[in-house]
Amino acid sequence: MIIPVRCFSCGRVIGSDYVRFTDRVGEIKKTKNREVTAEEISEILDDLDVTRYCCRRMILSNAELLEEILPFD
Ligand SMILES: [Zn+2]
């Protein structure tokens, strides 16, 4: 679904970080023509200053289902 604006556990704003995260992941996929590695994901989250594991799980575990649900409106 849509990423929550704040982390459920600590309350840090993560909604804007999610957009930057997906942009960076998409950039790697496009330029290197492969899936991102766990190390690259970790580096991206560190660059975005998402250091707490509660916030990391919010970004990593989000499933983008909005486009799949829209036809059933
Ligand atoms: Zn958090």
Side-chain angles (χ1 to χ4, degrees):
M1 296 301 289
I2 301 170
I3 185 86
V5 175
R6 290 184 177 267
C7 174
F8 291 147
S9 299
C10 71
R12 182 183 188 275
V13 176
I14 51 149
S16 57
D17 292 332
Y18 182 73
V19 176
R20 291 189 206 114
F21 174 77
T22 52
D23 287 348
R24 296 268 302 268
V25 168
E27 196 179 295
I28 289 173
K29 281 183 181 174
K30 194 192 281 182
T31 56
K32 298 184 178 174
N33 206 17
R34 62 169 169 78
E35 290 295 317
V36 288
T37 63
E39 289 79 17
E40 286 170 335
I41 289 173
S42 178
E43 281 175 25
I44 292 169
L45 289 173
D46 287 341
D47 285 350
L48 295 174
D49 209 27
V50 180
T51 51
R52 294 187 198 123
Y53 59 84
C54 58
C55 303
R56 285 180 177 241
R57 67 91 208 258
M58 295 291 291
I59 290 175
L60 293 176
S61 63
N62 184 56
E64 284 289 328
L65 298 175
L66 190 61
E67 293 296 324
E68 294 176 34
I69 291 173
L70 279 178
F72 303 106
D73 182 35

